Amino acid sequence: MNLVLLGPPGAGKGTQAKRMVARWGIPQVSTGDILRQAVKDGTELGKQAGPLMAAGKLVPDDLVVGIVKDRLLQPDAAKGFILDGFPRTIPQAEKLDEGLRNHGKALDAVISLEVPIETLVERISGRRSCPRDGSVYHVVQNPPRREGLCDLCGAALVQREDDKAESVRTRMQAYAAQTAPLKEFYARKGLLHVVDGVGAPEAIEAAVVQAVGRR
Ligand code: AP5
């Protein structure tokens, strides 16, 4: 199963990707997570990506394509993968197609999670993440058992730097201008499945499974 999860910031791509990892036993490949780790580790990649991410702008295509190429060559991605946050531009999608084709592979489905803007804003403003293990919570929808602390490791939860209002606006604009056109790109290839991203996470997961199962 080679799957892409598309959707604007806060659509629930990460939340659904984690559920599919548990369901199908294939890895989540989140370019956002990989880049955040690089920023945290202070690597050269992190130094280049950090300021752009904090401002809500996209990281240059060549940097991101290189990361994904390396990641998809890891043995755990041989039987499938869930791409979360990649591709985000037409050139990224073309490079992905080319890379997969060179390895005799192809995408099986692209899921676009559709969520109205006011729900996205509410989700993003309430999101809290664990800086140690990456667990994601929401202060209202999915609160930790002990306020402000990760259920799994007890670390103090933080708000992502790019979840502040001004960066969120830029991220939404980047999605509309650069990523939303991918829906048409994948629709023309017969790969696109539009899924309502509003509702309980388990109901959305069921809709994704049904969409993928139709193929
Ligand atoms: P990235 O980390 O990919 O961020 P994003 O696309 O903006 O997506 P988010 O992580 O904000 O949201 P999500 O859809 O995963 O939602 P989540 O499940 O967390 O990218 C960050 C940055 O990295 C980019 O801006 C860019 O700079 C750079 N970057 C990354 N990839 C790149 C690329 N390919 N090219 C160039 N640059 C790139 O859910 C959100 C909240 O809602 C959570 O609190 C969650 O608990 C809650 N929630 C989820 N589902 C539900 C539900 N069904 N009901 C109620 N609450 C829910």
Side-chain angles (χ1 to χ4, degrees):
M1 177 81 73
N2 300 332
L3 204 65
V4 167
L5 283 179
L6 272 185
K13 302 180 294 297
T15 301
Q16 290 302 321
K18 287 186 177 69
R19 300 181 82 94
M20 288 167 207
V21 168
R23 174 181 283 273
W24 288 315
I26 52 176
Q28 169 192 16
V29 176
S30 159
T31 40
D33 286 350
I34 295 170
L35 290 167
R36 275 185 288 281
Q37 189 62 45
V39 172
K40 204 167 144 192
D41 295 344
T43 64
E44 196 46 47
L45 169 67
K47 284 182 193 146
Q48 290 185 56
L52 293 167
M53 293 172 77
K57 295 180 182 160
L58 293 188
V59 172
D61 288 340
D62 53 341
L63 283 184
V64 188
V65 167
I67 296 173
V68 174
K69 211 170 157 187
D70 290 347
R71 181 63 187 87
L72 294 186
L73 288 175
Q74 300 296 313
D76 66 336
K79 58 184 169 131
F81 50 78
I82 300 149
L83 282 169
D84 159 12
F86 181 94
R88 251 177 159 97
T89 64
I90 300 277
Q92 289 180 18
E94 289 170 344
K95 287 283 179 196
L96 175 64
D97 274 359
E98 185 188 309
L100 291 174
R101 209 169 34 244
N102 289 342
H103 289 86
K105 295 181 180 182
L107 290 176
D108 293 303
V110 174
I111 305 290
S112 175
L113 294 173
E114 305 283 321
V115 177
I117 182 83
E118 39 314 337
T119 308
L120 295 173
V121 170
E122 189 195 302
R123 286 185 185 175
I124 289 174
S125 60
R127 172 168 48 195
R128 299 292 181 272
S129 319
C130 174
R132 204 180 287 161
D133 65 25
S135 304
V136 175
Y137 301 86
H138 187 279
V139 290
V140 178
Q141 308 283 356
N142 177 28
R145 284 193 294 274
R146 289 178 298 158
E147 197 184 332
L149 299 177
C150 178
D151 288 349
L152 301 180
C153 71
L157 301 177
V158 295
Q159 186 170 29
R160 259 170 53 180
E161 198 179 348
D162 62 347
D163 277 354
K164 299 187 178 129
E166 201 177 317
S167 307
V168 171
R169 260 194 303 278
T170 309
R171 285 162 64 200
M172 295 292 181
Q173 284 161 1
Y175 176 79
Q178 291 165 277
T179 308
L182 286 176
K183 288 196 264 179
E184 175 61 28
F185 177 89
Y186 285 122
R188 272 191 269 114
K189 291 175 182 284
L191 289 171
L192 186 77
H193 299 270
V194 173
V195 168
D196 183 1
V198 179
E202 48 272 29
I204 299 165
E205 180 188 2
V208 171
V209 170
Q210 198 186 19
V212 170
R214 278 202 297 270
R215 286 195 65 79

